[in-house]
Amino acid sequence: MAQSISPQALVRQRLFRDMSVEEVAAAVGVTSRAVRHWETGARAVGDRAFGRLLEVLRCDARELTGNEPGTETLADLRRGAGISTEEAASVLRRKRGAQGLHLSAEKIRDLERGRHVRGWMWRSPETLGQVARMLAQVYGVPVRVVMDAWHRSRPDDPLPVLPARQARRPSEESMTAWQGLNDRQRTYLTCIFHQDQEAEEEQRQNRYVGARRQPAVEWRRMTLALSVPSDVVGYTRIQERLREAGVHDPGAGSSVAALERRGLIRVYRDRVHLDGLGDVPRTRVEMTRRGRAVTRVALGVSREAGPPAPLLSLWLWKIMVRVARAGVQGVDGSLAGRGPHYLAVGQSPDGRTPSRGFIVLRHPDGVAHGPYRWLLTDSGRRHITDHLDAYRALYPGIDTQGLEDVFD
């Protein structure tokens, strides 16, 4: 297979690395004439050479192809990983769950080109779901990205059915750690955990509305106590939780030290300036991952796993419904928050992972001037059509009545 690239992008990347045509050719293992053909657009880059180009120029596939995030096909994901169809098939054959699929480079190519893949097992949506999960592992992307690319590569096929998530069994080690605490230590750990979860939810809400995102190292460290009389500065939020649980001491003594020794929390002691009081000693605490795991098991709190792939979170689904209801008129281009980073063509939530490519900012059809609007892409419409019933079951509070008519 050959990969079309932007000749100008290839020249730009080569010059950025201060390499000559001959140096690139020698590093990739081709002739100088081949590189010149690539740079003039006279010839496409072969699959194997494309992967080596990415290594030599130390760039990603989008920088050479010009493809926008959120438009990737299955072939794009593989090339972005810098591997050929032969290499992909070789790695996949070693995966658990590949038995009976008789994976080959030819089958990878058929899959990418939307052609029939030979073999009775390839007719099973559950088997294809296992293939999609394996591809995500090999290409180093979330499985939702593979599912979106599958849609674009094979638009007339039913979607693969991903394996159901396995419920995690409570950790015996976590229960043992909890049972090793006395009542007072358990109360401290529980109050700190609830404050940690409150801070996490606050950060999640800030993200939804587009507010500045604080580094976790800032908001995870929570003030436990100030070495100042409470009648002067009042109580911290954790101290208030402790008092509600019947603990009325300052909260920075032996119980906290015991939790730290067991690796359930980290304790930080510093000083903070308070108006009228100057610098006063402060004690801050931070839950460790082990501490959260122990407390979740003890309290029966399941970790929020999010919606099953490839479905959207409640926040993003609300945006999709809003854009879908707007129809051909679209939604105002000033769509607030970080939603477009996750949903829009040309965007990325973290600078690496592609967006879902479900909405695009452009002029409405038949309009050449005026403000841009957010409209659904073909991928976005197909996603809603395929998963509308699942979303209604997952988020029954969202009004989707009549949404089917939007696409008629």
Side-chain angles (χ1 to χ4, degrees):
M1 292 181 70
Q3 165 65 23
S4 296
I5 64 171
S6 165
Q8 296 83 0
L10 176 56
V11 173
R12 184 167 57 250
Q13 290 295 325
R14 176 175 63 77
L15 294 177
F16 179 73
R17 299 298 174 192
D18 196 23
M19 298 179 71
S20 66
V21 168
E22 290 73 22
E23 288 171 329
V24 170
V28 174
V30 297
T31 65
S32 299
R33 182 180 180 184
V35 175
R36 292 191 182 93
H37 281 317
W38 297 341
E39 292 192 350
T40 60
R43 186 177 300 169
V45 182
D47 234 9
R48 293 181 181 276
F50 184 77
R52 290 194 290 267
L53 261 182
L54 298 182
E55 295 176 1
V56 170
L57 298 176
R58 301 194 296 279
C59 63
D60 64 40
R62 289 194 297 268
E63 290 174 301
L64 288 184
T65 64
N67 291 340
E68 292 190 286
T71 64
E72 294 84 358
T73 63
L74 289 173
D76 291 331
L77 295 183
R78 175 181 53 75
R79 292 166 184 146
I83 59 179
S84 66
T85 52
E86 289 80 5
E87 291 165 333
S90 176
V91 175
L92 286 168
R93 282 194 294 269
R94 297 194 294 270
K95 289 284 185 182
R96 183 188 303 174
Q99 297 84 356
L101 293 175
H102 305 292
L103 282 155
S104 64
E106 181 183 3
K107 289 188 175 180
I108 297 296
R109 288 192 287 269
D110 288 341
L111 188 67
E112 293 178 349
R113 293 173 176 176
R115 299 190 305 212
H116 172 70
V117 182
R118 289 181 295 174
W120 67 269
M121 289 188 68
W122 288 84
R123 295 194 291 269
S124 164
E126 289 73 21
T127 298
L128 297 182
Q130 182 63 31
V131 171
R133 191 171 291 280
M134 291 190 296
L135 289 175
Q137 296 168 356
V138 173
Y139 298 159
V141 297
V143 69
R144 60 171 175 77
V145 173
V146 172
M147 294 291 279
D148 293 340
W150 196 296
H151 249 320
R152 300 181 190 109
S153 301
R154 308 182 68 85
D156 298 326
D157 287 4
L159 269 179
V161 175
L162 292 171
R165 284 180 176 151
Q166 298 294 321
R168 292 185 180 181
R169 299 180 60 184
S171 164
E172 183 176 335
E173 188 273 338
S174 293
M175 283 305 302
T176 300
W178 177 261
Q179 291 166 356
L181 303 177
N182 62 35
D183 288 343
R184 194 177 187 84
Q185 292 161 357
R186 291 177 183 177
T187 299
Y188 268 83
L189 189 61
T190 299
C191 291
I192 294 171
F193 172 78
H194 284 312
Q195 188 58 36
D196 174 85
Q197 295 303 286
E198 182 179 289
E200 189 173 283
E201 177 60 24
E202 181 180 340
Q203 291 300 312
R204 187 180 296 113
Q205 294 301 322
N206 286 343
R207 183 189 68 188
Y208 290 169
V209 299
R212 185 183 77 87
R213 301 179 68 182
Q214 288 182 296
V217 70
E218 294 180 11
W219 59 267
R220 287 284 187 195
R221 297 181 184 181
M222 305 166 292
T223 300
L224 170 61
L226 298 170
S227 296
V228 181
S230 58
D231 57 352
V232 177
V233 296
Y235 298 103
T236 68
R237 186 69 186 93
I238 296 178
Q239 287 175 328
E240 289 176 348
R241 291 181 184 276
L242 288 168
R243 290 173 66 81
E244 291 169 2
V247 176
H248 296 278
D249 63 24
S254 59
S255 295
V256 170
L259 295 176
E260 184 176 33
R261 284 196 303 272
R262 288 167 168 81
L264 304 175
I265 65 171
R266 297 187 185 91
V267 179
Y268 305 89
R269 303 186 191 278
D270 58 11
R271 303 181 73 85
V272 62
H273 182 82
L274 298 179
D275 291 342
L277 297 175
D279 291 343
V280 300
R282 174 177 64 173
T283 300
R284 293 191 294 166
V285 291
E286 177 184 0
M287 295 285 294
T288 64
R289 290 188 176 183
R290 181 168 183 261
R292 288 191 201 91
V294 168
T295 314
R296 284 193 178 100
V297 168
L299 301 182
V301 177
S302 60
R303 181 168 185 168
E304 186 176 351
L311 301 186
L312 299 167
S313 67
L314 174 61
W315 159 57
L316 294 175
W317 175 237
K318 287 180 178 179
I319 295 176
M320 285 288 286
V321 171
R322 180 184 171 193
V323 176
R325 288 198 182 283
V328 297
Q329 300 302 316
V331 170
D332 184 270
S334 60
L335 189 65
R338 290 183 53 80
H341 292 275
Y342 293 85
L343 294 173
V345 170
Q347 299 288 324
S348 170
D350 56 12
R352 302 182 305 276
T353 307
S355 73
R356 303 301 298 269
F358 291 164
I359 62 175
V360 64
L361 187 63
R362 62 174 177 83
H363 285 125
D365 291 341
V367 178
H369 305 286
Y372 286 90
R373 312 281 291 183
W374 290 109
L375 297 131
L376 290 178
T377 62
D378 289 340
S379 292
R381 284 188 287 272
R382 176 77 185 271
H383 181 82
I384 293 176
T385 300
D386 283 343
H387 301 292
L388 185 55
D389 289 341
Y391 278 119
R392 284 172 170 164
L394 186 63
Y395 307 128
I398 303 299
D399 180 16
T400 58
Q401 185 175 2
L403 203 59
E404 305 94 332
D405 301 334
V406 172
F407 308 118
D408 290 344

